[in-house]
Amino acid sequence: MPAKILLPTASNLSLVAEALRAGKVAAMPTETVYGLAGNAFDPGALAQIFAVKERPTFDPLICHVPPPTDNEAWTTHLVAQGLLAAEGLSPLAQQYVERLARAYWPGPLTLVLPKGPRVPDLATSGLPTVGIRAPRHVVAQALLREVGVPLAAPSANRFGRISPTMAAHVAAELGERIEFILDGGACEIGVESTVLLVEPDGGLRLLRPGAVSASDIAMATDAEVQAASAAAGESATPLPSPGLLASHYAPQKPLSLLSRPLSEHTPAELAALAQEQRIGVMVASGDPEVLRARFPENAGVTIYALSRAGDLAEAARQLFATLRACDDAPEVAAIWAETMPGETGLAHAINDRLRKASHR
Ligand code: TXA
Ligand code: MG
């Protein structure tokens, strides 16, 4: 039976909350991408998440929490829920967590912290740390409050595939495998959260770029942020963050990256590109019709602009839906993509996804 796509009415929220409390899984909207949620403290629910996604159990999950209701400190709130072992963090590291949470929670930032006593090993793939995030989406917050337990939720796609940014994408990915999809509209951000490892001594490592940038983090903490790759050699685990796996977010059709913006290609270069018939070209900005007109008329080329105006936030919102559209378009056999100009903030986040999608 295909999943029911439910509007987030009060009665639908309690229906889904009831299912989650009973140990089932369901898809929920967040401001980044849709998540496949289950009770973070229920190993049976966690096992279903891995099974439904066909996700290998070495890839840990993110636990989602609602904001504290009173003026409680975030660290106190996380400890009270059994998610965080604060004694595993130095006073400086705890201060960083508090500052980051105050600045960016609820929002698109996941903090990897020493795990508390209630977190099952399955949620963390046996790691001593757990990924924690307070989402900003009102439907996610309402669901979390209604369920009353943290929800583990990876992106609601099959493993290695494109993350869903609309309820219909979840239905296309997991439709026959789950019962409920809460429809919260198109995701406001469109790329997954920034993942930041907070080390016991206060070291900060960016494990996955997202809408909260390294400089945002540096500003909130007054500390330097290290790149994830630096951790790879020194880490006790072979993978500092499984999200770093090279092939990820991949469309089914081959995707290649252009070395320069399409608008800078000479007519001869465009003609050479169009030799390969039935290509879809994803550009960061510009007018698709104008760009298309520079190719030979009989070329099998379709242009997709992530943002005509070159707005990075719009490009991030459109990224996964556009990759999906390329995958679904019969007139496209292979995909070419421009990377975003620059390597900071959302440009870094988008380019990271494009590089992973292009890896073969
Ligand atoms: O925006 C998001 O983060 C979305 C929404 C649904 O919240 N979720 C998401 O989950 O992207 P997922 O499972 O697709 O990515 C989670 C990634 C893991 O692949 C891993 O890279 C990192 O978060 N992660 C989680 N726990 C970790 C841990 N203990 N140590 C290192 N990395 C961890
Ligand atoms: Mg994912």
Side-chain angles (χ1 to χ4, degrees):
M1 251 210 337
K4 292 192 189 74
I5 298 184
L6 303 173
L7 288 173
T9 60
S11 62
N12 284 339
L13 279 167
S14 50
L15 176 73
V16 174
E18 188 53 50
L20 289 167
R21 272 194 303 269
K24 296 188 182 170
V25 298
M28 69 168 177
T30 83
E31 70 278 19
T32 56
V33 300
Y34 276 73
L36 177 62
N39 179 349
F41 297 149
D42 178 350
L46 300 175
Q48 280 176 69
I49 292 176
F50 284 101
V52 165
K53 275 186 63 98
E54 299 171 41
R55 178 177 175 121
T57 50
F58 62 71
D59 195 1
L61 307 175
I62 294 171
C63 297
H64 297 70
V65 293
T69 41
D70 42 31
N71 270 337
E72 200 182 16
W74 279 97
T75 40
T76 313
H77 178 58
L78 298 179
V79 169
Q81 297 189 61
L83 277 174
L84 170 67
E87 66 276 12
L89 293 175
S90 65
L92 179 69
Q94 288 188 39
Q95 196 186 92
Y96 288 166
V97 171
E98 204 56 48
R99 286 193 195 171
L100 287 165
R102 254 183 272 150
Y104 298 110
W105 279 357
L109 174 67
T110 295
L111 297 178
V112 175
L113 305 172
K115 85 176 177 114
R118 292 190 70 192
V119 183
D121 280 336
L122 198 50
T124 68
S125 305
L127 294 170
T129 53
V130 59
I132 303 174
R133 171 165 114 80
R136 184 163 79 203
H137 198 295
V138 288
V139 176
Q141 289 191 17
L143 184 66
L144 283 162
R145 275 193 298 268
E146 180 100 22
V147 181
V149 288
L151 293 174
S155 50
N157 50 279
R158 277 168 283 155
F159 184 69
R161 302 254 304 122
I162 304 164
S163 295
T165 54
M166 297 201 287
H169 297 167
V170 181
E173 284 285 319
L174 308 174
E176 301 281 328
R177 306 177 182 195
I178 60 176
E179 214 171 318
F180 302 123
I181 302 169
L182 269 177
D183 188 350
C187 297
E188 179 198 335
I189 294 173
V191 292
E192 302 86 347
S193 62
T194 304
V195 179
L196 182 76
L197 171 64
V198 180
E199 294 173 327
D201 64 357
L204 303 175
R205 288 188 190 277
L206 188 68
L207 301 184
R208 180 174 72 185
V212 175
S213 69
S215 64
D216 292 335
I217 294 164
M219 214 136 64
T221 55
D222 253 323
E224 256 178 61
V225 182
Q226 255 118 35
S229 52
E234 313 156 16
S235 175
T237 51
L239 287 168
S241 181
L244 300 175
L245 286 174
S247 178
H248 222 91
Y249 319 103
Q252 273 148 338
K253 295 171 185 170
L255 183 145
S256 318
L257 301 184
L258 294 172
S259 56
R260 283 163 31 251
L262 193 67
S263 59
E264 292 174 14
H265 283 53
T266 63
E269 286 171 329
L270 292 177
L273 194 59
Q275 287 290 304
E276 189 185 340
Q277 280 297 305
R278 295 171 56 221
I279 60 169
V281 186
M282 275 179 27
V283 294
S285 61
D287 181 339
E289 280 179 30
V290 172
L291 289 163
R292 175 64 187 80
R294 296 189 58 231
F295 281 94
E297 210 177 324
N298 62 352
V301 177
T302 314
I303 310 283
Y304 299 81
L306 292 182
S307 165
R308 285 173 172 252
D311 175 53
L312 277 175
E314 184 183 17
R317 269 198 302 279
Q318 297 303 330
L319 177 69
F320 290 141
T322 307
L323 280 171
R324 250 169 223 284
C326 290
D327 243 356
D328 293 343
E331 67 275 19
V332 173
I335 311 164
W336 284 86
E338 274 182 5
T339 53
M340 304 297 118
E343 274 299 333
T344 57
L346 273 179
H348 184 201
I350 296 171
N351 291 343
D352 168 74
R353 293 350 180 242
L354 286 173
R355 281 191 286 267
K356 284 172 180 157
S358 71
H359 190 89
R360 274 287 182 277

